Amino acid sequence: MSSDCNQPRASAVHLNVLSESQLNNSVLDLLKVAGDPAQGLGQSLDDVSLEQRAGVAASIATQAVTNLAGWAPCAATAPGCEQAIIDKVGTSAYRRPLTEVERANMTTLFDAGVKEKDFATGVEWFLTGLLQSPYFVYQVVRPDAAEKAGEVRALSAYELAARPSYFV
């Protein structure tokens, strides 16, 4: 059996869950929430760990809302502030541009919180959901729309940039 050197080869890409320090550094960078909110989470994602991560996400969101002016790209009363927050934080958290479906889902979550109580609640609900999303919790390599199973392709610029940023 001979190997054809002209055929592209690549190793399988695995999902990597953010470590405690990676999650802590991410929320510090995104939301200016300091401390060690991810302490004790570990790398497993069993039912107990998922429940703990949900609690951590809610706690981080609550802290972030108290310092909205420190990280939000606009004042809460400014027109279009909701979408500015979704675009800035969502794009940074997902480490790539948002799709229209993702933006719409985030807007629905944000609007539900606003309808329930106020703008701050909308921010809190949006952040709590975002911080539990697989696109935040994992370093994800998404297949292209036209990609076929088993096909070798280069990582996108966003996927490639996320790797060393979390490595360092």
Side-chain angles (χ1 to χ4, degrees):
M1 178 179 209
S2 68
S3 174
D4 186 356
C5 293
N6 295 323
Q7 292 297 318
R9 295 181 184 273
S11 61
V13 177
H14 302 282
L15 291 175
N16 295 314
V17 67
L18 297 182
S19 69
E20 284 182 37
S21 64
Q22 289 170 333
L23 191 133
N24 287 335
N25 290 333
S26 293
V27 297
L28 175 61
D29 182 54
L30 285 171
L31 307 170
K32 310 305 180 226
V33 173
D36 193 11
Q39 184 176 14
L41 285 183
Q43 295 293 105
S44 69
L45 290 176
D46 56 20
D47 290 345
V48 173
S49 177
L50 289 175
E51 192 68 32
Q52 288 172 330
R53 285 181 180 273
V56 167
S59 174
I60 292 168
T62 300
Q63 291 176 51
V65 167
T66 64
N67 183 32
L68 194 58
W71 60 266
C74 51
T77 56
C81 188
E82 176 180 329
Q83 280 306 304
I85 289 173
I86 289 170
D87 288 340
K88 178 183 182 270
V89 177
T91 298
S92 294
Y94 281 15
R95 300 171 290 277
R96 60 169 172 75
L98 300 173
T99 67
E100 290 305 314
V101 171
E102 290 164 343
R103 187 174 284 111
N105 289 340
M106 290 178 191
T107 300
T108 299
L109 188 55
F110 200 119
D111 289 346
V114 171
K115 184 177 179 181
E116 179 70 24
K117 189 172 180 189
D118 56 15
F119 188 84
T121 303
V123 172
E124 192 172 341
W125 287 20
F126 156 68
L127 292 175
T128 300
L130 180 79
L131 296 173
Q132 295 177 74
S133 168
Y135 295 113
F136 174 72
V137 173
Y138 293 101
Q139 292 181 50
V140 176
V141 176
R142 292 170 36 126
D144 293 331
E147 187 176 334
K148 294 177 177 69
E151 184 176 71
V152 176
R153 72 162 173 91
L155 295 175
S156 74
Y158 294 104
E159 294 163 341
L160 198 55
R163 287 173 177 234
S165 72
Y166 278 111
F167 178 72
V168 173

